[in-house]
Amino acid sequence: AIERTLSIIKPDATKRNLTGKVNAKFEEAGLRIVAQKRIQLTLAQAGQFYAEHKERPFFGELTEFMVSEPVVVQVLEGEGAILKNREVMGATNPANADEGTIRKEFALSVGENSVHGSDSEAAAAREIAFFFSGLELVG
Ligand code: CMP
């Protein structure tokens, strides 16, 4: 089925001017960027977005990192987009990521791992609605 998923190009990647190179990976994989904006998150917004990780030891590090530079939030659309995006990103920890994946090529560490992608249909719906209104989504 044609799906939509929420992607974030994280501060380590925006800082190194890699937005275009990351987007090329998505497009080469057949994913279409149907909405996109560069924003500066607040700590409150980052905490709300990552609320499910609140009790994790890395929560503070994660949220501080996400506000350290602007991020690019985007909606990717395509056949099986949620899983396809996860394949293009590669494993969370770049040390475990396959050749050719975004995290293998660009990520610096498990925290500074260049991209986020929704991990389920429910997460995709929630995360897209967190950043975009229906009016901003043009298939
Ligand atoms: P992401 O897909 O954005 O979802 C949660 C994030 O937490 C994850 O990517 C990682 O970047 C981050 N994360 C996971 N484990 C660690 C860790 N041990 N230290 C710092 N950040 C982590």
Side-chain angles (χ1 to χ4, degrees):
I2 301 290
E3 295 174 342
R4 285 175 171 176
T5 192
L6 189 281
S7 168
I8 304 177
I9 304 179
K10 295 187 181 186
D12 66 282
T14 61
K15 188 176 188 173
R16 288 177 288 148
N17 208 19
L18 294 172
T19 296
K21 284 190 169 145
V22 170
N23 280 346
K25 290 283 197 186
F26 294 140
E27 292 182 345
E28 282 161 14
L31 292 165
R32 181 174 293 273
I33 301 162
V34 297
Q36 173 168 260
K37 55 191 172 188
R38 179 175 164 99
I39 59 173
Q40 174 63 57
L41 287 173
T42 66
L43 202 52
Q45 288 166 341
Q48 197 186 343
F49 182 80
Y50 281 120
E52 66 181 300
H53 297 303
K54 208 155 220 153
E55 306 307 324
R56 304 279 192 100
F58 57 79
F59 180 75
E61 185 185 322
L62 171 62
T63 52
E64 293 282 355
F65 167 61
M66 292 300 288
V67 306
S68 65
E69 290 277 334
V71 296
V72 174
V73 295
Q74 46 193 191
V75 178
L76 308 180
E77 183 181 272
E79 184 65 35
I82 298 167
L83 183 61
K84 186 174 281 184
N85 180 39
R86 296 183 69 74
E87 289 171 358
V88 176
M89 289 193 297
T92 303
N93 186 338
N96 303 325
D98 288 340
E99 275 318 312
T101 63
I102 291 168
R103 285 165 171 160
K104 176 72 177 186
E105 285 192 23
F106 303 125
L108 304 174
S109 66
V110 68
E112 296 188 305
N113 66 350
S114 302
V115 280
H116 164 82
S118 307
D119 65 5
S120 66
E121 277 185 50
R126 180 185 79 81
E127 294 177 359
I128 290 169
F130 187 88
F131 288 113
F132 294 96
S133 79
L135 283 175
E136 293 177 298
L137 292 162
V138 182

